[in-house]
Amino acid sequence: MANKQELADARVLLEVEGLQKFFHLRKRRFRGTPTVVKAVDGVSFTMREGEFLGIVGESGSGKTTLGLSVLRAHAPTAGKIMLHLPEQSYDLAQLSGEELRPLRKEMQMIFQDPFSSLNPRMSILDIVSEPLRLNGINTGVEEAVRDMLVQVGLSPEIMLRYPHAFSGGQRQRIAIARALILNPRIIVADECTSALDVSVQAQILKLLEGLRRSHNVSFLFISHNLAVIEYLCDRVLVMYLGRLVETADTEVLFQTPKHPYTAALLAAVPKPDPRVRSDDKAIYDGDIPDPANPPPGCAFHPRCPHAKEICMKVVPSLREVSPGHEVSCHFADDIILEGVKIAN
Ligand SMILES: Nc1ncnc2c1ncn2[C@@H]1O[C@H](COP(=O)(O)OP(=O)(O)OP(=O)(O)O)[C@@H](O)[C@H]1O
Ligand SMILES: [Mg+2]
């Protein structure tokens, strides 16, 4: 985690406002009504320079879609994506492909699977230097790659080898080197340690922490692994069916969650001590509803043990319950939920 005061003083780099990404599916149900999946439905947040912002939520809650929309790999349906560079601000949501091109170097992505994300037919030199060449940089390429490999803990001698010669952890370091070579300001990391062994995962997390300091890069860090989120992130966004249900500083979120869904996510994490049982009932009854046909009112109400009549009718808005802590629950002030400390 970053120093709290330093982070509070850091510049706002990204300001997302009312972001929506809907997918219109060709499959038609109920007499020709087109099916719309509201994968991201009105998400707003800010990210500061050097911040690690975690995104959590069950499968299908819209985490990847949010990350891809912020990078403009998806064209958003509505909303603003303000990127504030020192010299100028841009609304990425409004820019054309051509206008986005010079800004692409500021934003990179690291994927979950380091086995399929690296082209097996390209040498490590070609893989790591590809973003440079795509941006018209052809001089000093080898030195830049050499330097970057050292920074991610790899020997520059591997440059002429091919991905098949490397383990998952080494491949993820290569992917990180490629993501960093243009000195981006934002990296979206989507489950980037999930495919790795626990010990390798720890090394990669340490590497990312170090890179945050040396490069002052901000991470949008998507993960199912709440222990990883607690270790690495300064702040967390909790998503449910395309919306934010809670956002808070990591410590606050883990110790005093205010949304029943967040509490359920935390309680469902297996405890390291086998004598302490995790609460199996905690992710309350039922699966995540069909995103093409979400429940009315609060989308979590069918699974929520605290739901009252209003929850079935009125969508709760995200409101601040204490400085920096936002919750979208009609009863956020009334119900007391127990936090769970996960990491050591
Ligand atoms: N290209 C697409 N076309 C149609 N629907 C999509 C597309 N991408 C995502 N979706 C739908 O949008 C919703 C959100 O998906 P998304 O992949 O963003 O969730 P996620 O939180 O990343 O899930 P996971 O944890 O499984 O990775 C899902 O219902 C998914 O089926
Ligand atoms: Mg995903």
Side-chain angles (χ1 to χ4, degrees), residues 19-23 36-43 55-66 237-246 259 261-262 265 286-303 311 315-316 328:
L19 186 66
Q20 292 180 326
K21 176 63 191 173
F22 297 174
F23 293 107
V36 179
V37 175
K38 298 180 176 180
V40 174
D41 190 8
V43 168
I55 306 182
V56 301
E58 284 166 287
S59 189
S61 55
K63 307 180 297 295
T64 298
T65 307
L66 177 60
L237 311 178
V238 183
M239 284 190 85
Y240 188 73
L241 275 187
R243 291 172 188 248
L244 295 185
V245 295
E246 186 158 7
H259 198 290
Y261 179 63
T262 313
L265 277 183
D287 292 329
I288 195 162
D290 177 3
N293 187 21
C298 170
F300 189 58
H301 88 255
R303 301 167 75 188
C311 309
V315 181
S328 66

Side-chain angles (χ1 to χ4, degrees), residues 113-237:
D113 182 3
F115 288 87
S116 61
S117 66
L118 305 180
N119 186 334
R121 282 180 287 278
M122 285 168 75
S123 70
I124 305 308
L125 172 61
D126 288 341
I127 288 172
V128 178
S129 66
E130 192 178 28
L132 292 175
R133 282 179 281 109
L134 290 176
N135 278 276
I137 301 167
N138 294 306
T139 53
V141 167
E142 214 172 298
E143 293 88 288
V145 172
R146 192 182 297 274
D147 180 47
M148 206 58 247
L149 289 174
V150 172
Q151 288 190 51
V152 300
L154 293 169
S155 160
E157 273 138 48
I158 67 162
M159 270 201 294
L160 298 176
R161 294 166 69 183
Y162 288 77
H164 67 82
F166 299 96
S167 68
Q170 288 169 321
R171 286 176 194 225
Q172 208 52 312
R173 286 174 193 268
I174 293 164
I176 293 169
R178 180 177 58 184
L180 275 171
I181 197 142
L182 287 168
N183 224 349
R185 289 168 191 272
I186 299 173
I187 292 184
V188 175
D190 193 353
E191 302 284 1
C192 77
T193 61
S194 313
L196 306 174
D197 288 347
V198 174
S199 62
V200 180
Q201 202 175 74
Q203 293 167 11
I204 297 290
L205 295 179
K206 287 223 159 65
L207 171 65
L208 294 180
E209 276 266 72
L211 293 172
R212 177 231 296 265
R213 271 186 221 110
S214 55
H215 290 252
N216 199 28
V217 62
S218 309
F219 275 80
L220 206 51
F221 196 88
I222 299 169
S223 182
H224 274 101
N225 188 331
L226 291 169
V228 167
I229 294 275
E230 190 181 22
Y231 170 80
L232 203 60
C233 295
D234 304 296
R235 222 149 47 83
V236 185
L237 311 178

